[in-house]
Amino acid sequence: MIKHLLSAADLDLDSATLVLDTATEMAAMASREVKKLPTLRGRTVVNLFYEDSTRTRVSFETAAKRLSADVINFSAKGSSVEKGESLKDTALTLQAMGIDGVVVRHPASGAPTTLSQWVDGSIINAGDGTHEHPTQALLDAYTMRSRLGQLKGLRVTIVGDVLHSRVARSNMLLLTTLGAEVTMVSPPTLVPVGARDWPAKVSYDLDAALPDSDVVMMLRVQRERMTEAYFPSTREYARRYGLDVRRMKLLPEHAIIMHPGPMIRGMEIAPEVADSPRSTIVEQVANGVSVRMACLYLLLGGRSL
């Protein structure tokens, strides 16, 4: 049993499968006229976001409200953080208010783990620095299973800015636990030191990896985290690592295309590819609500992970 969801590595095969199966039950509720369960009535969830993120924050807010929780949205902008309040003092304030769960996004890797030492309620990591984003990995795995039927033995190619991607790390950990084979494809300058020790293959050749892929997951190029030039130009990046129509034709017929968003059309992925029937980008957003409902339900609703 775990109390917090700080890393994809917190989940073993059984607990990860339980989250995905619970998300399937939650997704069925989306077709009802009243999309609400009383499970978390009387519980309070805080969305504690030190970085802007419309997609993830709204997804968690929708998920908590569908479970009837009271939701408080906290943005660092315009708060006491701008006056110099520390993470610990913010945590102690939340603790004093009797918060049941905290969904935290923070620019510093490890901030959710530190927060978990000061707050009695459950902590869910909604993205910390370049470290991890476990619920994104869960919704990606859920989307793959929904489209392709199973995860064991699936060949997943993750492409792009691996160095700065918490999505890549969490996916690699979770997908490996679930029995998938992961290949990272990236410019050499965007491969982290120590990547050779990961449970994943590393390649610099996208064209060679695509014919053997059941899933290709494009990553966002995180320019805001780059302090130097990691590739010559946007055009050069697109030429070598962008997914265009020609490259899409190299994929097996059943293969799907994913992107965690927000995406840069024309650089990371061509508009025709992003909008093609093979793309799951919009599905991923919808599935995110079901998966986050499952996480909140299991962590705060009294069932064991």
Side-chain angles (χ1 to χ4, degrees):
M1 174 178 154
I2 63 171
K3 179 178 178 182
H4 311 293
L5 181 54
L6 305 173
S7 163
D10 293 339
L11 301 169
D12 59 18
L13 177 60
D14 289 342
S15 56
T17 303
L18 175 62
V19 174
L20 301 182
D21 290 345
T22 305
T24 301
E25 297 174 22
M26 297 297 172
M29 196 189 73
S31 59
R32 298 179 189 170
E33 186 175 350
V34 179
K35 302 177 180 61
K36 205 146 186 164
L37 292 174
T39 310
L40 298 185
R41 184 176 295 157
R43 302 293 187 96
T44 302
V45 176
V46 175
N47 289 326
L48 186 63
F49 275 59
Y50 287 79
E51 286 183 335
D52 294 333
S53 172
T54 303
R55 188 185 311 260
T56 303
R57 186 188 60 75
V58 172
S59 181
F60 269 109
E61 182 177 358
T62 303
K65 287 182 174 177
R66 286 188 178 176
L67 293 169
S68 302
D70 297 318
V71 180
I72 299 171
N73 290 315
F74 174 97
S75 172
K77 288 182 180 175
S79 74
S80 295
V81 173
E82 290 194 333
K83 300 174 186 174
E85 183 173 88
S86 68
L87 178 63
K88 182 173 184 178
D89 287 333
T90 300
L92 294 177
T93 299
L94 297 176
Q95 176 68 13
M97 292 179 178
I99 299 302
D100 298 294
V102 181
V103 177
V104 57
R105 168 164 291 198
H106 201 284
S109 299
T113 301
T114 303
L115 191 65
S116 69
Q117 299 168 10
W118 299 321
V119 177
D120 287 340
S122 293
I123 307 297
I124 298 178
N125 181 359
D128 60 330
T130 59
H131 179 223
E132 281 215 47
H133 194 353
T135 60
Q136 178 69 43
L138 283 163
L139 77 87
D140 289 338
Y142 179 87
T143 303
M144 292 176 207
R145 194 176 75 165
S146 299
R147 276 282 191 118
L148 300 173
Q150 64 178 21
L151 292 162
K152 187 175 182 180
L154 215 58
R155 300 164 298 177
V156 181
T157 300
I158 300 176
V159 185
D161 182 3
V162 176
L163 178 63
H164 301 102
S165 178
R166 50 200 178 203
V167 173
R169 284 167 181 73
S170 287
N171 264 289
M172 174 186 64
L173 292 168
L174 182 68
L175 290 170
T176 302
T177 297
L178 291 166
E181 300 172 13
V182 178
T183 300
M184 302 283 191
V185 179
S186 176
T189 51
L190 290 173
V191 175
V193 174
R196 294 289 176 185
D197 297 327
W198 287 357
K201 298 176 185 174
V202 176
S203 171
Y204 310 127
D205 189 342
L206 179 56
D207 286 345
L210 291 177
D212 294 324
S213 303
D214 301 304
V215 178
V216 58
M217 180 186 299
M218 306 306 294
L219 298 173
R220 185 171 72 85
V221 175
Q222 302 187 42
R223 289 185 180 276
E224 74 276 14
R225 301 187 194 279
M226 295 182 182
T227 56
E228 56 189 286
Y230 286 86
F231 45 85
S233 66
T234 299
R235 184 174 180 180
E236 175 69 7
Y237 182 92
R239 189 178 71 80
R240 297 200 58 186
Y241 295 100
L243 188 61
D244 55 17
V245 173
R246 179 190 69 79
R247 286 200 166 109
M248 183 169 66
K249 292 178 180 176
L250 297 177
L251 290 165
E253 285 189 11
H254 67 274
I256 60 173
I257 296 162
M258 310 180 75
H259 195 300
M263 58 185 161
I264 303 176
R265 289 175 182 252
M267 178 182 171
E268 299 156 359
I269 187 167
E272 300 87 344
V273 177
D275 299 330
S276 75
R278 290 179 152 197
S279 168
T280 65
I281 296 169
V282 176
E283 280 175 57
Q284 288 171 259
V285 176
N287 292 339
V289 175
S290 303
V291 166
R292 284 159 180 144
M293 284 178 71
C295 292
L296 291 168
Y297 175 79
L298 293 167
L299 288 171
L300 275 66
R303 291 185 61 183
S304 298
L305 263 180

